[in-house]
Amino acid sequence: MNGGPATGGAPGTGGGPGTGGGRIAVRPRTAVAALVAAAALGLVTGGFLLPARPGGARPAAAPPSTGAASATGPAGASGPVTAANLLGPAAFGPEVDPGRIHVTDRYGDGSYANAACSGEKTLEQTLGGPGAHFRGLMTGTRTSSEDPTQAVLPSEQVAREVVGDARTPSLAQNFSERLLLEEVPCQEEAPGHWVYGRTTAVRLSPDVTANWMGLYQGDLNTTGRAPEGREPCGGIAVLRSGSHYGVLEVDACLGTAAMDRVVRTALSQL
C-alpha cells in the first residue's frame, strides 16, 4: 500500500523493515506490472494453484487451511460494510500499545496494499468495483494531505485496512482471489530485497476465509525467497466473509503468532 512503506531502500536491506518485536516497519514500493490474469484458478484443497512466473519456478501454493471449518463456524457477512467490520487498535495489543494508536477512516477509491513488486494501482483499477472503506491505524497524528489513512512518517503506520462489499459471495471470492494473486510475485525477489513468505490459509467457515503472508526484510532474503524457520516482521492478508472482502497490511513488526491472531480478529469482524 502506498501509505506505509517508503519507496526504495538501501542495498542489502531491500528497504524492508528492521527487526524487533512490536516495532513499526518501513517497506519499499516501486511500480511493476500486476499479476491478476490467473484469478479464475480459484481454490483447490484449501490453497491457490498459481501460475509459473515468466522464467522462474511456480510460486508455492497456499497450504491447507489452518483450523477446520464446521457447521458452527461464523456465517458469511451480508449487507453494507460498517465501521464495526474494520479492525480497531485493541487488535494490536500487547505488541503495540492500543492507547498510542490513532484511527482515521475514509470511503472511496485509492491505493491499497498491492505491493510494489506487482505494481501499484487503485482498487478500482484492479477490481473495477465500487468504492471501499479505508482505515489507517497510526501511532502519530500527522497524516498525508492526499489520504488521511496514511501516516506522514511511514514508521508511524501500524496497519492499513481496505474493506468493501462485493454484493454477492461469489463476486467477493473472485475479488479476494485476484487481490491475493497480486501479492504472489513478492514471494520471489532478488536476494537483498524484502520478500513475502509462504501463504498461510485461515478458514473459520466455508464462507469466511483469509490468506496471509509474512514480510521478511532484505537481509534475510539470501536465496530469492523467504527464509524458513525465521519470524516475519508484519505482512499482508486478504480476507473474505460472505459478500465482504478486504486487504489488511500490517506495518508493525509482528511475528507469526501475532500476525495470525490479528488476521483471525480481522476475519471474525469482517
Side-chain angles (χ1 to χ4, degrees):
M1 121 185 7
N2 271 357
T7 51
T13 65
T19 55
R23 195 168 65 75
I24 307 303
V26 182
R27 269 177 244 165
R29 291 291 184 269
T30 56
V32 198
L35 174 66
V36 294
L41 289 174
L43 289 169
V44 177
T45 62
F48 283 89
L49 290 181
L50 302 171
R53 296 180 68 189
R58 182 185 301 277
S65 168
T66 58
S70 70
T72 59
S78 61
V81 172
T82 70
N85 297 121
L86 287 89
L87 275 181
F92 296 91
E95 289 80 12
V96 183
D97 179 6
R100 296 177 55 217
I101 299 176
H102 304 272
V103 174
T104 58
D105 292 309
R106 71 175 181 85
Y107 180 85
D109 188 28
S111 64
Y112 57 105
N114 53 340
C117 45
S118 61
E120 288 186 311
K121 297 178 292 184
T122 68
L123 199 65
E124 184 175 357
Q125 287 172 331
T126 299
L127 302 177
H133 293 262
F134 288 70
R135 169 165 289 185
L137 299 104
M138 298 159 278
T139 56
T141 57
R142 296 175 58 205
T143 62
S144 167
S145 59
E146 298 180 355
D147 187 340
T149 66
Q150 297 180 343
V152 169
L153 297 177
S155 61
E156 294 180 344
Q157 193 87 35
V158 175
R160 191 161 175 259
E161 188 176 19
V162 182
V163 172
D165 177 18
R167 312 302 183 192
T168 67
S170 60
L171 187 56
Q173 180 175 353
N174 175 276
F175 282 1
S176 64
E177 290 176 4
R178 290 162 63 186
L179 291 167
L180 180 61
L181 285 165
E182 282 209 334
E183 312 303 332
V184 169
C186 304
Q187 291 179 319
E188 294 184 14
E189 285 296 328
H193 190 285
W194 70 267
V195 66
Y196 284 140
R198 64 173 59 196
T199 308
T200 298
V202 176
R203 189 171 186 239
L204 302 186
S205 70
D207 211 25
V208 183
T209 62
N211 288 275
W212 68 269
M213 297 177 283
L215 185 142
Y216 296 81
Q217 63 180 17
D219 60 1
L220 293 178
N221 173 16
T222 60
T223 65
R225 298 187 67 90
E228 295 292 339
R230 299 295 296 268
E231 285 293 295
C233 186
I236 190 169
V238 177
L239 319 165
R240 181 181 74 90
S241 176
S243 63
H244 293 179
Y245 67 95
V247 182
L248 171 66
E249 188 174 38
V250 177
D251 296 276
C253 194
L254 304 187
T256 300
M259 277 293 299
D260 191 71
R261 185 196 71 233
V262 169
V263 169
R264 288 175 180 271
T265 300
L267 185 58
S268 66
Q269 292 183 197
L270 183 61

